[in-house]
């Protein structure tokens, strides 16, 4: 008995499972990959982008209106790009929010199941259309329309780009808003009906306010999408270098500036570095927007969590 | 008076609901219009020759075969580089990670990775893969760039797939003295596989449509032949479409819509495949 | 070990060795105390039933013996849990080795979504047995032991999920047997089964008890009375921590409980 149990207790001692430990470390490494890549992106943008400020003061860079990358000495003012991004994003958001939230409210609160089952795949379809195809639509179909409608010299302008961007940010706005509306507890609706409210009054006074932070997050995610979208604005925004004062002017948002400039930039040269600096700004902007959206979304989730 | 009040409220409701329907229509109808328009206008370009031959005369004649092949190579490369690491990261987050600051940090990183603009990934790929690692403007550099971009998606979908595996299976396996990795490898992963594949297909479809990153890291408009090694330059559908539409004067509209149609078919068929698998899995899981 | 043999259930009277024991064991989930100061000796090759009202920590107690509670974040154990002469909560204990020796059958049958054969072969395969012939031998032996062989011998390649609930549970028992454990823990193994399937499992438990030490948690008094040699009655204190009220031969617990609370529970006055 004593001998047998001594043998047993020995066999229960911890084994050194080398391959198991190896695999676990490897899995941990992969778990950290998201952080590594994100830091890698940031590091590279800093390394390649910050030297640009040796040629241009930050003030000149952010508020300068002249972008002359090949003149001697080069001038890198990105105000016109920044303003273009601002115009395009603001107008796209202004168009997409009422449509997206309206569509989400309809799907979550009003639509019969059959309609919802039809509309949801279409929204997913929209999310799946590549941005280059949306750019093509803007270029060949929408811009002549806009040109004629507003009697412009060219239909390739901020407005056309904004309309296409609005379409492209719709799927995320609709999906996230609908989820937020669905998360509002049924009891709230029932309480509202029990007080004699109509369905619309319930949607307007109970459901939408209840889902407000989720909808806000949806909008922010849509904004993030619009800020970062490249191909569409490259193709349809017009590409003019002047600071835009009206949405109907041709303009060059930041993403388009990078995409159109990088091919000609001498690697490691001033223009190359300035483009990386724009990318850095872009990265920080979308980072901030996404972070805030996540915080807001988290708060929304907690609100009805029990 | 009472009746009047109710009818006014009824009117408000009807107006409001009509507006909601209108919003939904404005969201959906253009999508259908776009799809139908591309199919109708692009179908004319489709021919055996168009799909199987190399372009000639700056893309105005010949076909788009190298672009189709290049796009498939890109999809393959993206998934090879992003899926295994994505699955392992997903496993880490569900099976190993504790609820602590590191896990919160990882989740935050994934979230932000998903939001980084594609052109920024392009510059990242240019700086890291093309220049620093000296892969040059190549299929390899482009695949790695797109893989970085796809990472957030492969991690999230793998994580969801692994979480969905019932706890009972884990317990049943651990309770007969298997190690954690054995349980993951032989019980959890086979169960999570359909979900993982769904995510992979979605990531591939996304990679097929990306233009901005490959514009930066080395897609070519016209190449004489197919790439023969990962270090070769390549053609790709979205970049070919971009150049044809924006930079080749006198390009026929039919050809442009034809390229768009082929791209759309590739992307959307992969998307539908993913949706199909998802539905099948759901039916199987809740069916019996 | 000074027990009154006259009171022992004669089915297990031949064996009096202690296989498992807990010494002043307390279990915490974070700040919540789930079990308080439980000391219990479990006899080898006998069936010990853990009974008590729901929520009293029966399952948590059972999961002490194969350290399944380790899977729950924030779980902490005070005191000693001893198998033979080894405290399984010592720092250098290998949980994987422990679980090979202490198998577990769960409340809900949880066969893997694989074939019948693969389910039973799963453990041996993971423990390094690759020889197809040897594996088939193990599968047949385990299925025979689990009284399932005759029902499934012609459909070893079919999905285990196609079996009935009772068959699935016996398959799970076979899956445990294939690893050749010394102790089998059963966590309400019949609660998801119909009465006939339940009786079959109980017969199986009786036949297994000549070779294995079995600990079963059950909320079913009749079941405990039918199958077990020894019974332990657990209940909650006011702070919801589980304590051991009474432990002894099953016949004594059910016919002549020493504690008023046990008697109240047995006779259905609460729980």
């Amino acid at each position: 008995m004593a001998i047998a149990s001594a043998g047993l207790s020995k066999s229960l001692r911890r084994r050194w499972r080398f391959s198991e430990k190896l695999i676990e470390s490897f899995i941990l490494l992969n778990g950290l990959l998201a952080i590594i890549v994100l830091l890698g992106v940031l590091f590279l943008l800093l390394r390649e982008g910050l030297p640009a400020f040796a040629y241009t003061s930050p003030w000149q860079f952010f508020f300068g209106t002249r972008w002359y990358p090949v003149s001697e000495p080069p001038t890198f003012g990105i105000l016109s790009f920044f303003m273009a991004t601002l115009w395009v994003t603001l107008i796209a958001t202004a168009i997409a929010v009422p449509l997206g939230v309206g569509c989400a409210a309809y799907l979550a609160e009003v639509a019969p199941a059959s309609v919802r089952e039809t509309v949801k795949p279409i929204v997913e379809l929209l999310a799946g259309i590549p941005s280059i195809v949306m750019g093509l639509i803007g270029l060949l179909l929408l811009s002549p329309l806009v040109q004629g409608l507003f009697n412009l010299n060219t239909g390739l302008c901020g407005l056309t780009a904004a309309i296409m961007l609005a379409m492209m940010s719709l799927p995320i706005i609709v999906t996230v808003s609908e989820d937020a509306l669905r998360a509002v507890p049924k009891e709230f609706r029932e309480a509202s009906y029990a007080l004699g409210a109509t369905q619309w009054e319930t949607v307007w006074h109970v459901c939408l306010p209840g889902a407000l932070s989720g909808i806000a997050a949806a909008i922010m995610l849509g904004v993030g999408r619009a800020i970062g979208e490249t191909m569409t604005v490259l193709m349809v925004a017009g590409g003019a270098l002047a600071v835009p004062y009206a949405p109907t002017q041709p303009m060059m948002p930041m993403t388009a500036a990078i995409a159109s400039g990088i091919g000609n930039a001498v690697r490691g040269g001033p223009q190359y570095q300035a483009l990386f600096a724009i990318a850095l700004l872009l990265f920080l902007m979308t980072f901030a927007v996404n972070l805030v959206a996540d915080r807001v979304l988290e708060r929304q989730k907690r609100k009805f969590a029990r | 008076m009472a009746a009047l009040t109710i009818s006014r409220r009824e009117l408000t409701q009807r107006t409001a609901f009509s507006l909601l329907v209108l919003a939904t229509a404005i969201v959906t109808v253009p999508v259908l219009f776009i799809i139908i328009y591309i199919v109708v206008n692009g179908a004319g370009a489709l021919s055996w020759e168009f799909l199987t031959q190399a372009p000639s005369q700056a893309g105005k004649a010949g076909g788009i075969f190298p672009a189709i092949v290049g796009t498939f190579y890109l999809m393959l490369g993206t998934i090879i580089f992003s899926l295994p690491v994505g699955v392992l990261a997903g496993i880490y987050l569900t099976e190993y990670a504790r609820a602590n600051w590191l896990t919160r940090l990882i989740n935050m990183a994934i979230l932000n990775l998903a939001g980084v603009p594609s052109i920024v990934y392009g510059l990242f790929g240019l700086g890291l893969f093309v220049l620093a690692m000296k892969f040059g403007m190549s299929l390899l550099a482009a695949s790695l760039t797109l893989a970085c971009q796809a990472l957030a998606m492969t991690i999230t979908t793998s994580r969801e797939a692994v979480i969905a595996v019932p706890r009972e299976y884990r317990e049943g396996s651990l309770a007969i003295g298997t190690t954690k990795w054995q349980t993951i490898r032989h019980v959890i992963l086979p169960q999570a596989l359909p979900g993982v594949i769904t995510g992979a297909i979605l990531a591939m479809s996304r990679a097929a449509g990306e233009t901005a990153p490959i514009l930066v890291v080395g897609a070519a408009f016209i190449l004489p032949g197919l790439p023969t090694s990962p270090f070769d330059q390549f053609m790709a559908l979205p970049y070919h479409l971009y150049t044809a539409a924006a930079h080749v004067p006198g390009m026929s509209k039919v050809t442009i819509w034809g390229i768009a149609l082929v791209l759309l078919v590739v992307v959307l068929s992969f998307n539908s495949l993913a949706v199909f698998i998802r539905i099948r899995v759901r039916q199987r899981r809740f069916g019996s | 070990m000074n027990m009154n043999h006259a009171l022992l259930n004669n089915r297990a009277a031949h064996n009096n060795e202690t296989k498992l024991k807990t010494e002043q064991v307390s279990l915490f989930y974070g700040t919540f105390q789930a079990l308080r100061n439980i000391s219990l000796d479990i006899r080898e090759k006998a069936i010990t039933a853990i009974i008590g009202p729901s929520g009293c920590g029966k399952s948590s107690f059972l999961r002490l013996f194969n350290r399944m509670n380790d899977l729950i974040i924030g779980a902490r154990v005070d005191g000693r849990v001893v198998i033979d002469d080894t405290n399984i909560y010592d720092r250098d204990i290998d949980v994987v080795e422990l679980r090979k020796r202490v198998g577990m059958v769960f409340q809900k049958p949880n066969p893997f979504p694989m074939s019948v054969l693969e389910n039973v072969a799963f453990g041996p395969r993971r423990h390094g047995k690759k020889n197809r012939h040897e594996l088939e031998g193990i599968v047949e032996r385990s299925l025979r032991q689990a009284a399932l062989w005759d029902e499934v011998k012609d459909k070893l390649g079919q999905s285990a999920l196609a079996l009935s609930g009772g068959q699935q549970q016996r398959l799970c028992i076979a899956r445990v047997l294939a690893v050749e454990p010394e102790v089998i823990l059963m966590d309400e193994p019949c609660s998801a089964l119909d009465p006939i399937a339940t009786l079959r499992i109980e017969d199986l438990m009786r036949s297994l008890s000549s070779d294995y030490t079995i600990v079963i948690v059950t909320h079913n008094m009749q079941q405990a009375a039918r199958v077990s040699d020894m019974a332990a009655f657990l209940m909650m204190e006011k702070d919801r921590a589980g304590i051991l009220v009474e432990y002894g031969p099953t016949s004594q617990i059910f016919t002549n409980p020493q504690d008023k609370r046990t008697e109240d529970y047995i006779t259905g006055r609460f729980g």
Side-chain angles (χ1 to χ4, degrees), chain A residues 44-78:
Chain A
L44 199 99
L45 294 178
L46 285 171
R47 200 190 69 170
E48 304 288 315
L50 284 186
F53 295 106
Y55 307 94
T56 331
S57 72
W59 177 264
Q60 271 183 325
F61 182 76
F62 290 113
F63 298 102
T65 57
R66 299 182 322 153
W67 176 266
Y68 298 136
V70 285
S71 57
E72 210 41 66
T75 321
F76 302 111
I78 64 161

Side-chain angles (χ1 to χ4, degrees), chain A residues 236-250:
Chain A
V236 301
L241 287 177
V243 177
Y245 293 101
T248 46
Q249 290 177 331

Side-chain angles (χ1 to χ4, degrees), chain A residues 1-2 5-6 8-17, chain C residues 83-86 90-94 96-98 101 182:
Chain A
M1 172 68 195
S5 68
L8 179 67
S9 63
K10 185 161 176 261
S11 74
L12 272 182
R13 296 295 150 209
R14 182 160 293 166
R15 288 187 180 27
W16 179 247
R17 294 190 165 83
Chain C
I83 173 167
D84 296 317
D85 285 333
T86 311
D90 272 350
R91 284 192 57 189
D92 61 347
I93 287 299
D94 194 292
V96 172
E97 287 303 315
L98 170 70
R101 294 174 185 279
E182 294 155 17

Side-chain angles (χ1 to χ4, degrees), chain C residues 22-75:
Chain C
T22 63
E23 294 173 356
Q24 293 292 310
V25 164
S26 294
L27 171 68
F28 301 86
Y29 295 129
T31 54
F32 169 66
Q33 181 164 14
L35 297 171
R36 177 173 295 133
N37 293 340
I38 298 189
S39 297
L40 189 70
D41 287 7
I42 289 169
R43 289 195 293 116
E44 190 169 23
K45 295 181 183 171
I47 301 179
T48 303
I50 315 289
I51 58 173
S54 55
C56 72
K58 300 186 295 281
S59 289
S60 295
F61 181 68
L62 191 71
R63 284 160 176 254
L64 285 173
F65 295 110
N66 64 347
R67 293 188 50 171
M68 234 29 197
N69 289 324
D70 289 15
L71 301 182
I72 297 163
I73 292 164

Side-chain angles (χ1 to χ4, degrees), chain A:
Chain A
M1 172 68 195
I3 295 164
S5 68
L8 179 67
S9 63
K10 185 161 176 261
S11 74
L12 272 182
R13 296 295 150 209
R14 182 160 293 166
R15 288 187 180 27
W16 179 247
R17 294 190 165 83
F18 181 70
S19 58
E20 181 91 6
K21 287 282 167 241
L22 198 69
I23 287 164
E24 280 186 8
S25 332
F26 188 60
I27 289 177
L28 171 66
L29 185 71
N30 282 290
L32 296 177
L33 204 63
I35 296 181
I36 297 171
V37 172
L38 194 69
L39 287 180
V41 171
L42 181 62
F43 172 77
L44 199 99
L45 294 178
L46 285 171
R47 200 190 69 170
E48 304 288 315
L50 284 186
F53 295 106
Y55 307 94
T56 331
S57 72
W59 177 264
Q60 271 183 325
F61 182 76
F62 290 113
F63 298 102
T65 57
R66 299 182 322 153
W67 176 266
Y68 298 136
V70 285
S71 57
E72 210 41 66
T75 321
F76 302 111
I78 64 161
L79 188 66
S80 55
F81 304 151
F82 185 80
M83 290 305 293
T85 293
L86 210 61
W87 269 124
V88 169
T89 306
L90 282 179
I91 295 170
T93 310
I95 299 170
V97 167
L99 291 178
V101 176
C103 178
Y106 180 69
L107 292 180
E109 306 291 336
V110 188
S114 59
V115 174
R116 202 166 55 234
E117 301 295 305
T118 323
V119 171
K120 293 277 291 184
I122 297 177
V123 174
E124 276 182 39
L125 196 67
L126 177 59
I129 300 178
S131 63
I132 177 75
V133 174
M134 295 303 272
L136 195 66
I137 299 290
L139 183 71
L140 298 182
L141 298 186
L142 184 64
S143 73
L145 225 62
V146 171
Q147 185 180 9
L149 210 62
F150 293 89
N151 200 15
L152 305 169
N153 292 328
T154 169
L156 298 177
C157 63
L159 181 63
T160 315
I163 296 173
M164 294 317 295
L165 286 191
M167 275 194 81
M168 298 173 73
S169 53
L170 274 173
I172 194 150
I173 296 181
V174 172
T175 318
V176 179
S177 301
E178 198 201 338
D179 287 347
L181 283 165
R182 287 191 181 284
V184 176
K186 201 175 58 176
E187 290 81 0
F188 289 17
R189 296 189 179 84
E190 286 169 350
S192 172
Y193 292 139
L195 292 170
T198 62
Q199 195 185 356
W200 167 247
E201 285 162 349
T202 305
V203 171
W204 185 248
H205 293 292
V206 176
C207 302
L208 283 172
L212 198 60
S213 43
I215 294 171
I219 295 168
M220 273 183 268
L221 290 173
V223 168
R225 186 71 49 97
I227 292 175
E229 180 45 49
T230 309
M231 292 322 290
T232 311
V233 295
L234 178 64
M235 293 170 81
V236 301
L241 287 177
V243 177
Y245 293 101
T248 46
Q249 290 177 331
M251 54 184 80
M252 175 99 102
M254 291 156 70
T255 49
I258 300 173
S260 64
I262 195 72
N264 309 321
V266 179
R267 280 150 189 196
Q271 187 188 0
Y272 176 88
Q273 289 166 343
L275 293 175
F276 268 84
I278 299 178
L280 179 62
L281 180 60
L282 209 54
F283 176 86
L284 295 176
M285 284 165 68
T286 50
F287 189 91
V289 168
N290 281 307
L291 210 59
V292 175
D294 180 53
R295 282 290 145 82
V296 173
L297 211 54
E298 209 46 51
R299 213 174 54 203
Q300 168 87 20
K301 270 185 201 148
R302 270 206 303 275
K303 193 155 79 179
F304 300 120
R306 304 172 4 96

